[in-house]
Amino acid sequence: MLNTLVHPAREPSDAVPLVIVHGLFGLGRNFNSIARNLADRRDVIAVDQRNHGDSFRADSHTYPDMAGDIAEVIGSLGGRVDLLGHSMGGKAVMQLALTQPDLIRRLVVADIAPVAYGHDQSQHIRTMRALKLTDLKTRGEADRRLAEFEDDPGLRAFFLQSLDLKADPPRWKINLDVLEREMPNILGWTGAEGPFEGSALFVAGGRSDYILPEHRPVIRTLFPRARIVKLPEAGHWLHADQPREFEATVRIFLDS
């Protein structure tokens, strides 16, 4: 089963658990702050997806695979859940909602649509591979070395969360070989037909081009009860760009 980070409810209630699924190159702990805050009245479980973090390595990385992994986590929780996924994780939770809708009460999809994209992410794999891991002792030194290949400090910090400096030698907690080979599947879409008749919220970054006006018809077809909202000052990593606004938006939807 996937590695999970469990944030128990501080004041238990009858609210169903919330399961959070990260995106490509991410980790469950990317959502630690948001997960802790949303765990005031419900258990919140963040997962490491296959080929990421402390979860298992696999030769396949398709959306049916990822949906099956999430379904197994939900099964271990004993009932329906609310489900939130970002980017690649958003496609995984959409796949699950369209194929096993009874597992999900409410669905939140963060800055992704059920379509194929041309946003190739292979350059990030090349960047991580370029980092010299020999004699690497500190994250600061890793950042200085990575800066030779990536100018954006935010992206460097994001990638370096997946660098295991305790390993000897240090290693990436991301299966770069499989993700590179499976990139066409990750960028694509399965064509799952659904529809998911439950409540769904799509949260778009105002500075992102992942949810565009031309995507709305297919979203409405597959998720007829979907609401689409935008965080104007956020990019694709909207939960990092505007964490409190993102958290408040999710909370209002889940509690309404």
Side-chain angles (χ1 to χ4, degrees):
M1 193 172 80
L2 298 179
N3 181 60
T4 59
L5 291 81
V6 180
H7 302 265
R10 292 187 294 279
E11 296 182 12
S13 69
D14 59 358
V16 302
L18 171 65
V19 176
I20 300 178
V21 185
H22 66 79
L24 183 62
F25 308 134
L27 297 165
R29 67 187 183 94
N30 296 153
F31 284 86
N32 270 355
S33 175
I34 289 171
R36 283 194 296 266
N37 289 340
L38 291 175
D40 52 346
R41 295 179 52 254
R42 69 172 76 225
D43 292 342
V44 179
I45 299 92
V47 304
D48 289 342
Q49 293 218 67
R50 61 171 54 206
N51 294 313
H52 291 73
D54 293 321
S55 283
F56 58 87
R57 301 299 184 253
D59 289 334
S60 178
H61 199 90
T62 68
Y63 289 112
D65 292 334
M66 290 179 265
D69 297 339
I70 299 163
E72 185 178 16
V73 171
I74 294 173
S76 74
L77 299 174
R80 290 203 306 167
V81 301
D82 290 335
L83 190 57
L84 185 161
H86 170 249
S87 195
M88 180 186 73
K91 282 190 172 181
V93 303
M94 285 190 284
Q95 173 73 21
L96 182 60
L98 294 170
T99 55
Q100 299 187 63
D102 292 344
L103 297 179
I104 302 166
R105 187 188 75 110
R106 293 195 168 200
L107 180 73
V108 180
V109 178
D111 209 52
I112 201 77
V115 299
Y117 287 92
H119 299 91
D120 189 3
Q121 303 297 316
S122 298
Q123 75 275 14
H124 298 318
I125 292 176
R126 292 190 292 271
T127 295
M128 283 183 269
R129 280 203 179 113
L131 176 64
K132 182 183 177 183
L133 299 175
T134 306
D135 299 325
L136 188 58
K137 302 297 184 184
T138 68
R139 207 159 297 276
E141 176 59 26
D143 183 67
R144 285 190 291 274
R145 293 184 188 182
L146 199 61
E148 298 179 25
F149 311 101
E150 174 54 62
D151 294 333
D152 187 332
L155 272 180
R156 295 199 306 270
F158 173 64
F159 297 150
L160 289 174
Q161 287 190 56
S162 292
L163 181 64
D164 183 2
L165 287 171
K166 295 180 180 179
D168 187 16
R171 67 180 184 93
W172 288 105
K173 300 173 78 170
I174 300 174
N175 193 337
L176 298 175
D177 292 341
V178 168
L179 294 181
E180 183 175 45
R181 190 181 68 238
E182 293 281 86
M183 193 61 68
N185 287 324
I186 295 169
L187 298 175
W189 175 241
T190 64
E193 296 181 353
F196 176 68
E197 300 286 358
S199 296
L201 175 69
F202 285 71
V203 188
R207 297 179 176 175
S208 170
D209 59 356
Y210 276 79
I211 297 182
L212 298 173
E214 55 263 36
H215 297 150
R216 291 177 178 248
V218 67
I219 291 172
R220 299 290 188 197
T221 297
L222 295 176
F223 303 92
R225 295 180 60 193
R227 296 168 52 197
I228 304 173
V229 301
K230 184 179 291 186
L231 299 184
E233 300 303 317
H236 181 57
W237 284 276
L238 64 184
H239 56 290
D241 294 339
Q242 291 197 284
R244 300 290 76 83
E245 292 84 354
F246 178 76
E247 174 193 315
T249 301
V250 171
R251 183 187 296 277
I252 289 169
F253 171 70
L254 296 181
D255 291 347
S256 62

